[in-house]
Coordinates of all heavy atoms in Angstrom, one line a residue:
M1 N -1.3 -23.3 -13.8 CA -1.2 -22.1 -13.1 C 0.2 -22.0 -12.6 O 0.8 -20.9 -12.6 CB -2.1 -22.1 -11.9 CG -2.1 -21.0 -11.0 SD -2.9 -19.5 -11.7 CE -3.0 -18.6 -10.3
E2 N 0.8 -23.0 -12.2 CA 2.2 -23.0 -11.6 C 3.2 -22.6 -12.7 O 4.1 -21.8 -12.4 CB 2.6 -24.5 -11.2 CG 4.0 -24.5 -10.5 CD 4.3 -25.9 -10.1 OE1 3.5 -26.7 -9.6 OE2 5.6 -26.2 -10.1
E3 N 3.1 -23.0 -14.0 CA 3.9 -22.5 -15.0 C 3.8 -21.0 -15.3 O 4.8 -20.3 -15.5 CB 3.7 -23.3 -16.4 CG 4.6 -23.1 -17.5 CD 6.1 -23.5 -17.1 OE1 6.2 -24.5 -16.4 OE2 7.0 -22.8 -17.5
I4 N 2.6 -20.6 -15.3 CA 2.3 -19.1 -15.4 C 3.0 -18.3 -14.3 O 3.6 -17.2 -14.5 CB 0.9 -18.8 -15.5 CG1 0.3 -19.4 -16.9 CG2 0.6 -17.2 -15.4 CD1 -1.2 -19.3 -17.1
V5 N 2.9 -18.7 -13.1 CA 3.5 -18.1 -11.9 C 5.0 -18.1 -12.1 O 5.7 -17.0 -11.8 CB 3.1 -18.8 -10.6 CG1 3.9 -18.2 -9.4 CG2 1.7 -18.6 -10.3
K6 N 5.7 -19.2 -12.6 CA 7.0 -19.1 -12.9 C 7.4 -18.1 -13.9 O 8.4 -17.4 -13.8 CB 7.5 -20.5 -13.3 CG 7.6 -21.5 -12.2 CD 8.1 -22.9 -12.8 CE 8.0 -23.9 -11.8 NZ 8.5 -25.2 -12.3
K7 N 6.6 -17.9 -14.9 CA 6.9 -16.9 -16.0 C 6.8 -15.6 -15.4 O 7.6 -14.6 -15.8 CB 6.0 -17.1 -17.1 CG 6.1 -18.2 -18.0 CD 5.1 -18.4 -19.1 CE 5.4 -19.7 -20.0 NZ 4.4 -19.7 -21.0
I8 N 5.8 -15.3 -14.5 CA 5.6 -14.0 -13.9 C 6.7 -13.7 -13.0 O 7.3 -12.6 -13.1 CB 4.2 -13.9 -13.1 CG1 3.1 -14.0 -14.1 CG2 4.2 -12.7 -12.1 CD1 1.7 -14.3 -13.4
Q9 N 7.3 -14.6 -12.2 CA 8.4 -14.4 -11.4 C 9.7 -14.1 -12.2 O 10.4 -13.3 -11.9 CB 8.7 -15.7 -10.5 CG 9.8 -15.5 -9.5 CD 9.5 -14.3 -8.5 OE1 8.6 -14.3 -7.7 NE2 10.5 -13.3 -8.6
A10 N 9.8 -14.9 -13.3 CA 11.0 -14.6 -14.2 C 10.9 -13.1 -14.8 O 12.0 -12.4 -14.8 CB 11.0 -15.6 -15.3
S11 N 9.7 -12.7 -15.1 CA 9.6 -11.4 -15.6 C 9.8 -10.3 -14.6 O 10.6 -9.3 -14.8 CB 8.2 -11.1 -16.2 OG 8.0 -9.9 -16.9
I12 N 9.4 -10.5 -13.3 CA 9.7 -9.6 -12.3 C 11.2 -9.6 -12.0 O 11.8 -8.6 -11.7 CB 8.9 -10.1 -11.0 CG1 7.4 -9.7 -11.2 CG2 9.4 -9.4 -9.8 CD1 6.5 -10.2 -10.1
D13 N 11.9 -10.8 -12.0 CA 13.3 -10.9 -11.8 C 14.1 -10.0 -12.9 O 15.1 -9.5 -12.5 CB 13.8 -12.3 -11.8 CG 13.3 -13.1 -10.7 OD1 12.9 -12.5 -9.6 OD2 13.4 -14.4 -10.7
E14 N 13.5 -9.8 -14.0 CA 14.1 -9.0 -15.0 C 14.0 -7.5 -14.8 O 14.9 -6.7 -15.1 CB 13.5 -9.3 -16.4 CG 13.9 -10.6 -17.0 CD 13.3 -10.9 -18.3 OE1 12.9 -9.9 -19.0 OE2 13.2 -12.1 -18.7
I15 N 13.0 -7.2 -14.1 CA 12.6 -5.8 -13.7 C 13.4 -5.3 -12.5 O 13.9 -4.2 -12.3 CB 11.2 -5.6 -13.4 CG1 10.3 -5.9 -14.6 CG2 10.8 -4.3 -12.8 CD1 8.8 -6.1 -14.4
K16 N 13.6 -6.3 -11.5 CA 14.4 -5.9 -10.3 C 15.6 -5.2 -10.4 O 15.8 -4.1 -9.6 CB 14.6 -7.2 -9.5 CG 13.5 -7.8 -8.8 CD 14.0 -9.1 -8.1 CE 12.9 -9.7 -7.2 NZ 13.2 -9.3 -5.8
P17 N 16.6 -5.5 -11.2 CA 17.8 -4.6 -11.3 C 17.6 -3.2 -11.5 O 18.2 -2.3 -11.0 CB 18.6 -5.3 -12.4 CG 18.1 -6.7 -12.5 CD 16.6 -6.6 -12.1
F18 N 16.5 -2.8 -12.4 CA 16.2 -1.5 -12.7 C 15.7 -0.7 -11.4 O 16.0 0.4 -11.1 CB 15.2 -1.4 -13.8 CG 15.7 -1.9 -15.1 CD1 15.3 -3.2 -15.5 CD2 16.7 -1.2 -15.9 CE1 15.9 -3.8 -16.7 CE2 17.2 -1.8 -17.1 CZ 16.8 -3.0 -17.4
L19 N 14.8 -1.4 -10.7 CA 14.3 -0.8 -9.5 C 15.4 -0.8 -8.4 O 15.5 0.4 -7.7 CB 13.1 -1.6 -8.9 CG 12.0 -1.7 -9.9 CD1 10.8 -2.6 -9.3 CD2 11.4 -0.4 -10.2
Q20 N 16.2 -1.7 -8.3 CA 17.3 -1.8 -7.3 C 18.4 -0.6 -7.4 O 18.9 -0.1 -6.6 CB 17.9 -3.1 -7.2 CG 17.0 -4.2 -6.7 CD 17.5 -5.7 -6.8 OE1 18.4 -5.9 -7.7 NE2 17.0 -6.5 -6.1
Q21 N 18.7 -0.3 -8.7 CA 19.7 0.8 -9.0 C 19.1 2.1 -8.5 O 19.9 3.0 -8.3 CB 20.1 0.8 -10.5 CG 19.0 1.4 -11.4 CD 19.5 1.3 -12.8 OE1 20.2 0.3 -13.2 NE2 19.1 2.2 -13.7
D22 N 17.9 2.2 -8.3 CA 17.3 3.5 -7.8 C 16.9 3.4 -6.2 O 16.2 4.2 -5.7 CB 16.0 3.9 -8.5 CG 16.3 4.4 -9.9 OD1 17.5 5.0 -10.0 OD2 15.6 4.3 -10.8
G23 N 17.4 2.2 -5.6 CA 17.1 2.1 -4.2 C 15.8 1.4 -3.9 O 15.3 1.4 -2.7
G24 N 15.2 0.8 -4.8 CA 13.9 0.1 -4.6 C 14.0 -1.4 -4.9 O 15.0 -1.9 -5.2
D25 N 12.9 -2.0 -4.8 CA 12.8 -3.4 -5.1 C 11.3 -3.8 -5.2 O 10.4 -3.0 -5.0 CB 13.4 -4.3 -3.9 CG 13.9 -5.6 -4.5 OD1 13.7 -6.0 -5.6 OD2 14.8 -6.2 -3.7
I26 N 11.1 -5.0 -5.6 CA 9.7 -5.5 -5.9 C 9.7 -7.0 -5.5 O 10.7 -7.8 -5.7 CB 9.3 -5.4 -7.4 CG1 7.8 -5.7 -7.5 CG2 10.2 -6.1 -8.3 CD1 7.2 -5.3 -8.9
E27 N 8.6 -7.5 -4.9 CA 8.5 -8.8 -4.4 C 7.1 -9.3 -4.9 O 6.0 -8.6 -4.7 CB 8.5 -8.8 -2.9 CG 8.1 -10.2 -2.3 CD 8.1 -10.1 -0.8 OE1 8.1 -8.9 -0.2 OE2 8.0 -11.2 -0.2
L28 N 7.1 -10.5 -5.5 CA 5.8 -11.1 -5.9 C 5.1 -11.7 -4.7 O 5.8 -12.5 -3.9 CB 6.0 -12.3 -6.9 CG 4.8 -13.0 -7.3 CD1 3.8 -12.2 -8.1 CD2 5.3 -14.2 -8.2
I29 N 3.9 -11.3 -4.4 CA 3.2 -11.8 -3.3 C 2.2 -12.8 -3.6 O 2.2 -13.9 -2.9 CB 2.4 -10.6 -2.6 CG1 3.3 -9.5 -2.2 CG2 1.5 -11.1 -1.4 CD1 4.4 -9.8 -1.2
E30 N 1.4 -12.7 -4.7 CA 0.4 -13.7 -5.0 C 0.0 -13.5 -6.4 O -0.1 -12.4 -7.0 CB -0.8 -13.4 -4.0 CG -2.0 -14.3 -4.4 CD -3.2 -14.0 -3.5 OE1 -3.2 -13.0 -2.8 OE2 -4.2 -14.8 -3.6
V31 N -0.5 -14.6 -7.0 CA -1.2 -14.5 -8.4 C -2.5 -15.1 -8.0 O -2.7 -16.3 -7.7 CB -0.5 -15.3 -9.5 CG1 -1.2 -15.2 -10.8 CG2 1.0 -14.7 -9.7
T32 N -3.6 -14.3 -8.3 CA -4.9 -14.8 -7.9 C -5.5 -15.7 -9.1 O -4.9 -15.7 -10.2 CB -5.9 -13.6 -7.8 OG1 -6.1 -12.9 -9.0 CG2 -5.4 -12.7 -6.6
P33 N -6.5 -16.5 -8.9 CA -7.0 -17.3 -10.0 C -7.5 -16.5 -11.2 O -7.4 -17.1 -12.4 CB -8.3 -18.0 -9.3 CG -8.0 -17.9 -7.8 CD -7.2 -16.7 -7.6
D34 N -7.8 -15.3 -11.1 CA -8.2 -14.5 -12.3 C -6.9 -13.8 -12.9 O -7.0 -12.8 -13.7 CB -9.3 -13.5 -12.0 CG -8.9 -12.3 -11.2 OD1 -7.7 -12.4 -10.5 OD2 -9.7 -11.3 -11.1
F35 N -5.8 -14.1 -12.4 CA -4.4 -13.7 -12.9 C -4.2 -12.2 -12.6 O -3.5 -11.5 -13.4 CB -4.2 -13.9 -14.4 CG -4.2 -15.4 -14.7 CD1 -5.3 -16.0 -15.3 CD2 -3.1 -16.1 -14.2 CE1 -5.4 -17.4 -15.6 CE2 -3.2 -17.5 -14.6 CZ -4.3 -18.1 -15.2
T36 N -4.7 -11.7 -11.5 CA -4.3 -10.4 -10.9 C -3.0 -10.7 -10.2 O -2.9 -11.6 -9.3 CB -5.4 -9.9 -9.9 OG1 -6.5 -9.6 -10.7 CG2 -4.9 -8.5 -9.3
V37 N -2.0 -9.9 -10.5 CA -0.7 -10.1 -9.9 C -0.5 -9.2 -8.7 O -0.6 -8.0 -8.9 CB 0.5 -10.0 -10.8 CG1 1.8 -10.1 -10.2 CG2 0.3 -11.0 -12.0

């Protein structure tokens, strides 16, 4: 599970610059046991 969370965070980190250029952002809060992000 820890490795998957790291991959999810890395993917979110790739998205962040696109959101930030429009004045937004995104934060990972939780990954549930059934992989709802």
Side-chain angles (χ1 to χ4, degrees):
M1 177 77 160
E2 185 179 326
E3 190 61 35
I4 291 172
V5 172
K6 285 181 183 179
K7 288 180 182 179
I8 291 169
Q9 183 63 61
S11 187
I12 287 173
D13 288 344
E14 290 178 20
I15 296 166
K16 278 180 173 260
F18 298 101
L19 299 177
Q20 290 169 341
Q21 74 186 30
D22 288 329
D25 208 345
I26 187 169
E27 173 187 10
L28 176 62
I29 302 299
E30 177 186 7
V31 179
T32 66
D34 71 345
F35 298 108
T36 295
V37 178

